[in-house]
Amino acid sequence: MTNPGATSGRGQGGPAALLTVVKLVGERQGLRLWGPLGFELMPGRAVHVQGPNGCGKTTLLRTLAGLRRPALGEVCLPGPCWFIGHATPLAEDLGAFANLRLWLDLAGAAAVADAELHGWLQHWSLPAERPVRQLSAGQRRKLALAPLTLAPRSLWLLDEPFDALDHAGCAWLAQAAAAHLAGGGALLLSSHQALPTGFPPCDAWWLGARGARKAAPAVAEAA
Ligand SMILES: Nc1ncnc2c1ncn2[C@@H]1O[C@H](COP(=O)(O)OP(=O)(O)OP(=O)(O)O)[C@@H](O)[C@H]1O
């Protein structure tokens, strides 16, 4: 990584890419949103995808996570990733603990002890049993982000992860991201907001109809 325009052609022997994208094109209803994109995301690297409403950031992240078929091109994920969308589906009548337990079990992380889940909920003062439909937007966001550190995976795909998150939550995510990258992980996130203080440096990409390029200030794009 991180040339958003082309793959590197990296040879054997170096660290393996955690995400490889080849000639990827995203469309909605026959109209091109972005692409063709080609890049490799290497361990320790982070990308911040930016662009105006509707340019296709969510579509890109969902495509990278394998939740949406690309119009053209290929995505290669050598291992499982965490995709945390901005509209995280929760079992609304279940409590936070039951949601987390279910989520981790389905994701193959049944070995994570109940005590760790309770520890997480207590850390954020989240009620374990109350139906999650009664939680605030920020509480739901903290719940959605829990698997990142409870059951680590080497690639994080985060769609607007700072939405509704308070200062303490943003600081936690910054610290968790720094540790993740230092440990050889990688991440790609979308956000309209500036990254919070302490968040590790990211390559900034601007997503648009001609593909992706290093981000210019939003005002320059709009002009
Ligand atoms: N299920 C859908 N069916 C048809 N079109 C869709 C669907 N979901 C999104 N779109 C369209 O695809 C385009 C890209 O949407 P997407 O959600 O990927 O954009 P975004 O960059 O994430 O936007 P935002 O910044 O508002 O979150 C938009 O024009 C949107 O209207």
Side-chain angles (χ1 to χ4, degrees):
M1 238 268 297
T2 52
N3 173 4
T7 52
S8 70
R10 194 177 299 271
Q12 299 289 321
L18 299 176
L19 170 67
T20 302
V21 165
V22 181
K23 297 181 179 172
L24 195 69
V25 171
E27 292 181 354
R28 285 283 189 185
Q29 300 181 320
L31 293 177
R32 182 168 298 198
L33 291 170
W34 40 257
L37 302 180
F39 62 88
E40 290 176 327
L41 192 54
M42 303 304 292
R45 303 308 297 259
V47 172
H48 176 192
V49 178
Q50 302 166 61
N53 292 136
C55 73
K57 300 179 295 299
T58 295
T59 303
L60 173 62
L61 268 78
R62 290 181 62 81
T63 304
L64 296 179
L67 297 172
R68 181 175 169 77
R69 192 187 301 272
L72 289 170
E74 290 175 26
V75 176
C76 176
L77 286 171
C81 68
W82 280 123
F83 167 75
I84 312 288
H86 59 73
T88 302
L90 295 168
E92 298 291 335
D93 290 331
L94 296 181
F97 174 81
N99 265 280
L100 262 187
R101 185 73 274 165
L102 184 64
W103 218 349
L104 294 179
D105 290 355
L106 288 173
V112 181
D114 287 356
E116 282 195 63
L117 275 55
H118 281 297
W120 172 270
L121 297 175
Q122 281 163 11
H123 177 77
W124 294 114
S125 302
L126 296 176
E129 307 297 339
R130 203 194 313 156
V132 295
R133 61 183 147 74
Q134 296 178 5
L135 297 184
S136 72
Q139 289 173 323
R140 293 170 69 91
R141 172 64 44 188
K142 284 172 177 164
L143 184 58
L145 293 169
L148 293 179
T149 49
L150 286 173
R153 291 180 170 183
S154 56
L155 177 64
W156 295 358
L157 302 171
L158 309 177
D159 195 7
E160 300 286 354
F162 308 110
D163 267 10
L165 212 51
D166 61 15
H167 181 76
C170 288
W172 170 82
L173 186 52
Q175 198 176 30
H180 174 65
L181 298 177
L187 68 86
L188 188 148
L189 64 84
S190 75
S191 178
H192 290 288
Q193 303 158 27
L195 299 177
T197 307
F199 202 90
C202 292
D203 293 328
W205 291 2
W206 188 263
L207 199 61
R210 292 188 304 275
R213 58 180 171 77
K214 289 205 168 189
V219 287
E221 181 71 13

